[in-house]
Amino acid sequence: MLTVRKSKDRGHANHGWLDSKFSFSFADYYDPKSMGFRALRVINEDVISGGGGFGTHGHKEMEIVTYVLDGGVAHQDSLGSGSVIVPGELQHMSAGTGIRHSEYNASKTDPAHMLQIWLLPSKAGVAPVYSQQKFPIDAEHNLLHLLVSPDGHDGSLAWNTDAELYATKIDANDRVEHAFTRKHGWVQVARGSAIVNGEELSQGDGLAISEEVSVSIVAGQSGTEVLFFELS
């Protein structure tokens, strides 16, 4: 079963310093038909103006990842972590029993473009954890790079949810394929266009996949950058 979530149907909020598009219900945007998919609860595409950002705020009982497309995002948290996340890196937080953090555009002038993603945890009450890692996504095209998994296998980060997150950059007209080990998946097109299991997707589109044997992602004429979640 394939269900397309078109970019134009996402929620939208523009706060001046922040322009956000919501794949699922979030903040003041509410759509009872789009509350998430399996453990996947939030995919927000955020563009933060130079000097803008999210002041210190708290999270609990959520798995949170930040995937930067352009620019840099400066992070500080209550665990003492401080860093700048740039393209090719993934930031992960298990919010667990509670974590407070801030995220600001690392540039005072240029915009930062990122995907903010939340998943429901498999187990409540765990201690909060922060991790960040660089992956060869830009250097090694046409491969699915495993970013996060429940046990941190194959060099991935570990998180507290039964899902795996992959990223890939695919050159024009090339493809990647993946055989499912779980029953569900979600494809999010971050850039360009792609044909996924026969469905034509453009930048910002998402595709929910259920009960398929495999996923096939074929890049369009300008190539594509895609996030793929395998979900229970």
Side-chain angles (χ1 to χ4, degrees):
M1 180 178 175
L2 304 174
T3 304
V4 177
R5 175 67 161 159
K6 298 299 291 183
S7 175
K8 65 180 179 61
D9 296 329
R10 293 182 294 178
H12 182 224
N14 192 328
H15 301 286
W17 64 271
L18 173 67
D19 191 2
S20 290
K21 296 176 181 176
F22 312 123
S23 293
F24 306 118
S25 295
F26 187 84
D28 292 334
Y29 168 65
Y30 175 70
D31 179 351
K33 296 181 180 179
S34 297
M35 298 300 296
F37 180 69
R38 311 304 297 177
L40 188 55
R41 180 61 188 85
V42 169
I43 303 179
N44 292 351
E45 182 178 357
D46 293 338
V47 177
I48 306 172
S49 298
F54 301 91
T56 302
H57 59 283
H59 296 286
K60 294 181 70 174
E61 306 300 355
M62 196 67 69
E63 298 295 304
I64 301 170
V65 294
T66 299
Y67 186 87
V68 176
L69 294 165
D70 294 297
V73 176
H75 167 93
Q76 297 281 339
D77 66 42
S78 54
L79 300 179
S81 307
S83 61
V84 175
I85 308 107
V86 298
E89 295 182 335
L90 190 80
Q91 173 203 315
H92 163 251
M93 291 190 299
S94 284
T97 54
I99 190 170
R100 292 180 63 78
H101 77 130
S102 63
E103 289 179 303
Y104 282 90
N105 187 340
S107 170
K108 298 297 184 183
T109 56
D110 299 325
H113 184 192
M114 68 178 185
L115 296 176
Q116 185 79 253
I117 297 158
W118 299 2
L119 290 91
L120 299 171
S122 297
K123 181 181 179 181
V126 303
V129 174
Y130 178 87
S131 57
Q132 182 178 333
Q133 186 169 314
K134 185 174 178 61
F135 295 89
I137 300 165
D138 190 56
E140 299 177 7
H141 290 195
N142 308 320
L143 296 171
L144 278 174
H145 296 273
L146 178 62
L147 307 184
V148 206
S149 65
D151 59 1
H153 70 275
D154 294 337
S156 61
L157 299 174
W159 60 7
N160 176 33
T161 189
D162 186 19
E164 293 183 340
L165 169 59
Y166 298 81
T168 182
K169 288 186 176 181
I170 309 174
D171 297 328
N173 302 316
D174 275 328
R175 77 169 62 211
V176 299
E177 296 183 344
H178 176 81
F180 277 103
T181 59
R182 293 170 177 79
K183 293 184 177 181
H184 307 277
W186 181 278
V187 171
Q188 187 72 25
V189 179
R191 300 186 202 267
S193 62
I195 298 175
V196 182
N197 287 23
E199 296 285 349
E200 295 186 8
L201 304 179
S202 300
Q203 182 169 326
D205 291 350
L207 178 68
I209 305 171
S210 294
E211 306 296 342
E212 296 276 326
V213 173
S214 62
V215 60
S216 172
I217 306 170
V218 181
Q221 294 297 321
S222 61
T224 193
E225 184 172 0
V226 167
L227 296 184
F228 168 63
F229 301 82
E230 189 169 2
L231 304 158
S232 295

